[in-house]
Amino acid sequence: METYGDLVAAEDVLLFVNAAITGTGQHEFHSGAAEQQLSLDFLHEYVRVNYRGPYAAALALDINDHNAALIVRRLLETARDATEEQRRTEGRLIARRLELLPPQRVYRLIGELRRAKVNNRRTRAILRDWLAARPDQALDAVKYRAGLKRALRHTHLRPAEAETGDFLYAPRRRAKYRAPLLDAWRRAHHQQAAVFELPYTVAESFAQRHGIPRADFLKRIAPRLTALERLRLQESARAAGAGAVAADLARMPLTRLASYVLGLPPADRAARRAELTGALRGAARRAVRAAGAEEGSWGRVTAVLDDSWSAYGSGVKRRRPLAAALACHFLLEALAGEYTALWTSGRTDALLARPSGPTPLGHRVLDALDTAPQRLLIVSDGWDNAPPGLAAEVLRVWRTRLDPERRTSVVHLNPVYDAEGFDVRRLAPTVPTAGLRDAEDLPALVEFARFAEGRTDLAELTAHLAARTARFLAPVQVTVR
């Protein structure tokens, strides 16, 4: 039988998972960076101390990289507080999560551990295995030189090759390197041609040193750009006259692609309507397949999508909430057998979405319920203000009086962390709310949201976390010595 303490524990864990999905410690529309960081730091410490097992298990969920790195750091810093069994599980979770993190973030994490003087045998073993699994240490030496040096010193390791060690610690010792990338870096100091043999992020500083015009640099470095670098540079390259930098939109992840589309001027979006719409729909179909779902399998779906002014986000997370809503729109279109999209602004052209006006969620929810959907999805930061609180009242009456049998499934997905509330902002107690990072996670989040309906079963939640952990660790078997 569930006790009050079990219910509180389940609510605390759910609250933390939502925060770990959405919170990044950066400035948001309704709160500053300092508030965000303070709120997240408190939440991490509270959950780590009181619920260490679920805290570590969050690494197996769809949390963002910022919070994954925070969890890894705090677990390693407090290893002595864990039991032997917990340390074994944590070691496997950490090792697997480090494989998925961008390398620059792992190197930054290693620097934080070094400054905090966290260098026990367990930490060195995990980091040693991660460094050994890196596919090209020469590339890391060029691209993440300072990070790799710190990592090797912290773990008491030698570089994989002697010349990599010379490159890191005494780069002038050798007149020439056998590794092409290391030698290209050496030659780039005095040869312009060698600049274009380097990764973009390294080559850029050499191009400035040699005074290479921006347009020429972008044209010649284009073959070495990653897919995401191409996406970021495509428009600036056009402005500089280097049209050769063209991103393959057909291969872009859905939410990143939505951010790119929203960054284009409306006139460009209209002119490229067929290309952009086709790319977004293709990305949505790939996301559906990756989630193990089937197109058209969700039946009759209606979505309320927030394009109010607060969907702009902030200067550091520009249009991020709106991008999440646009990506969800195309994903739900692929999942639904019959689909209706209702934007809070009343606009009907998703491709030309822009943040503006108040947030009349209550009115849009009423319109959505009139369509008699099997599933109602609300993608919003939850600041219902036109009039305030109408959405909560509409949903309360609907759930308690008009649809107590729950013929219509209602889920609120919120892409913004509310620092003051230590959670994502909710619309109504009767409606489950889940944090949303990328639209690609939507099918899993809708499944997870059932735990947030106010009748959470701790045993069921624990079993769910255990199942997700098992799936997360299935591809690898890591033994931490």
Side-chain angles (χ1 to χ4, degrees):
M1 181 177 177
E2 290 285 301
T3 67
Y4 177 73
D6 290 337
L7 293 174
V8 170
E11 288 299 316
D12 286 346
V13 172
L14 290 169
L15 179 144
F16 174 72
V17 170
N18 282 336
I21 289 171
T22 57
T24 59
Q26 296 171 301
H27 180 66
E28 297 280 7
F29 189 87
H30 291 284
S31 59
E35 296 171 77
Q36 290 276 322
Q37 291 167 4
L38 184 64
S39 179
L40 277 176
D41 284 346
F42 168 80
L43 202 54
H44 273 267
E45 189 65 10
Y46 172 77
V47 177
R48 182 195 63 78
V49 170
N50 292 284
Y51 313 105
R52 189 178 182 100
Y55 181 71
L59 290 172
L61 302 179
D62 300 312
I63 63 175
N64 62 47
D65 292 342
H66 174 77
N67 286 292
L70 279 176
I71 292 173
V72 170
R73 176 184 168 183
R74 288 169 184 265
L75 290 176
L76 292 176
E77 286 176 339
T78 60
R80 65 182 60 187
D81 298 339
T83 66
E84 186 60 34
E85 183 179 354
Q86 284 177 325
R87 282 197 289 270
R88 283 196 296 270
T89 302
E90 289 172 11
R92 297 180 64 208
L93 283 165
I94 290 170
R96 176 62 178 150
R97 192 73 199 201
L98 291 182
E99 290 180 9
L100 303 177
L101 285 174
Q104 65 271 24
R105 194 177 284 275
V106 179
Y107 282 123
R108 192 184 314 149
L109 170 65
I110 294 171
E112 292 170 357
L113 291 170
R114 187 166 185 257
R115 286 190 293 274
K117 299 182 179 179
V118 180
N119 198 25
N120 51 58
R121 186 177 64 178
R122 175 168 169 257
T123 298
R124 288 198 304 273
I126 291 171
L127 297 182
R128 181 187 62 232
D129 291 347
W130 180 81
L131 286 166
R134 294 295 299 151
D136 188 348
Q137 196 172 87
L139 173 63
D140 282 15
V142 170
K143 198 170 182 179
Y144 313 111
R145 185 178 181 184
L148 179 57
K149 286 172 67 175
R150 283 194 298 266
L152 292 172
R153 285 171 175 161
H154 193 58
T155 53
H156 306 164
L157 293 176
R158 293 180 180 273
E161 300 287 342
E163 71 169 9
T164 305
D166 288 345
F167 176 84
L168 291 172
Y169 302 112
R172 299 184 185 277
R173 179 177 296 171
R174 292 178 182 251
K176 188 175 182 179
Y177 290 95
R178 294 190 309 275
L181 204 54
L182 301 183
D183 201 59
W185 182 90
R186 178 190 64 80
R187 290 183 288 110
H189 287 79
H190 51 83
Q191 292 180 10
Q192 286 194 15
V195 171
F196 303 99
E197 300 174 32
L198 295 169
Y200 165 75
T201 52
V202 180
E204 192 171 32
S205 62
F206 280 109
Q208 293 174 355
R209 182 184 302 181
H210 288 296
I212 301 173
R214 182 70 173 170
D216 293 344
F217 169 67
L218 290 175
K219 285 179 181 178
R220 296 179 65 184
I221 201 67
R224 301 195 65 86
L225 294 175
T226 66
L228 294 179
E229 285 169 348
R230 285 178 175 275
L231 189 65
R232 288 196 297 267
L233 290 170
Q234 186 171 350
E235 295 309 308
S236 62
R238 285 179 181 172
V245 179
D248 184 0
L249 301 185
R251 300 176 61 186
M252 287 294 121
L254 178 58
T255 307
R256 287 188 181 272
L257 180 58
S259 292
Y260 166 75
V261 169
L262 292 173
L264 297 173
D268 287 1
R269 285 186 252 168
R272 299 170 60 188
R273 179 179 296 278
E275 174 198 2
L276 297 176
T277 302
L280 286 162
R281 285 178 173 155
R285 288 193 292 270
R286 291 195 303 275
V288 168
R289 291 194 294 271
E294 294 182 12
E295 292 182 47
S297 61
W298 277 24
R300 197 165 55 253
V301 176
T302 299
V304 173
L305 305 164
D306 189 349
D307 61 347
S308 65
W309 178 238
S310 62
Y312 172 79
S314 67
V316 293
K317 300 180 74 173
R318 194 170 299 168
R319 292 180 292 271
R320 175 67 188 185
L322 184 59
L326 180 64
C328 286
H329 164 74
F330 282 96
L331 187 70
L332 291 171
E333 181 185 64
L335 283 167
E338 179 183 334
Y339 177 63
T340 303
L342 299 172
W343 294 87
T344 55
S345 65
R347 299 188 189 95
T348 56
D349 192 339
L351 196 67
L352 298 182
R354 60 183 177 87
S356 64
T359 314
L361 282 176
H363 292 295
R364 290 297 168 267
V365 170
L366 277 171
D367 295 338
L369 293 172
D370 280 344
T371 66
Q374 293 170 283
R375 295 177 185 259
L376 169 59
L377 280 296
I378 304 168
V379 184
S380 170
D381 62 8
W383 287 85
D384 178 35
N385 56 25
L390 178 60
E393 186 62 14
V394 168
L395 290 167
R396 182 189 68 80
V397 172
W398 173 261
R399 182 57 78 216
T400 58
R401 297 188 181 181
L402 302 179
D403 187 26
E405 299 86 6
R406 298 176 181 267
R407 294 184 300 271
T408 297
S409 166
V410 183
V411 175
H412 172 210
L413 298 171
N414 193 328
V416 181
Y417 176 62
D418 180 21
E420 185 176 348
F422 298 100
D423 197 359
V424 292
R425 193 176 180 88
R426 299 172 184 271
L427 286 177
T430 55
V431 172
T433 299
L436 174 71
R437 180 185 60 167
D438 293 327
E440 292 89 325
D441 303 326
L442 185 148
L445 290 173
V446 168
E447 175 192 357
F448 188 73
R450 74 181 190 274
F451 296 111
E453 293 193 71
R455 304 185 311 280
T456 304
D457 185 308
L458 180 61
E460 187 181 0
L461 176 59
T462 302
H464 178 81
L465 290 175
R468 288 293 298 267
T469 298
R471 289 203 300 271
F472 183 71
L473 295 175
V476 293
Q477 295 294 326
V478 179
T479 301
V480 178
R481 295 172 290 281

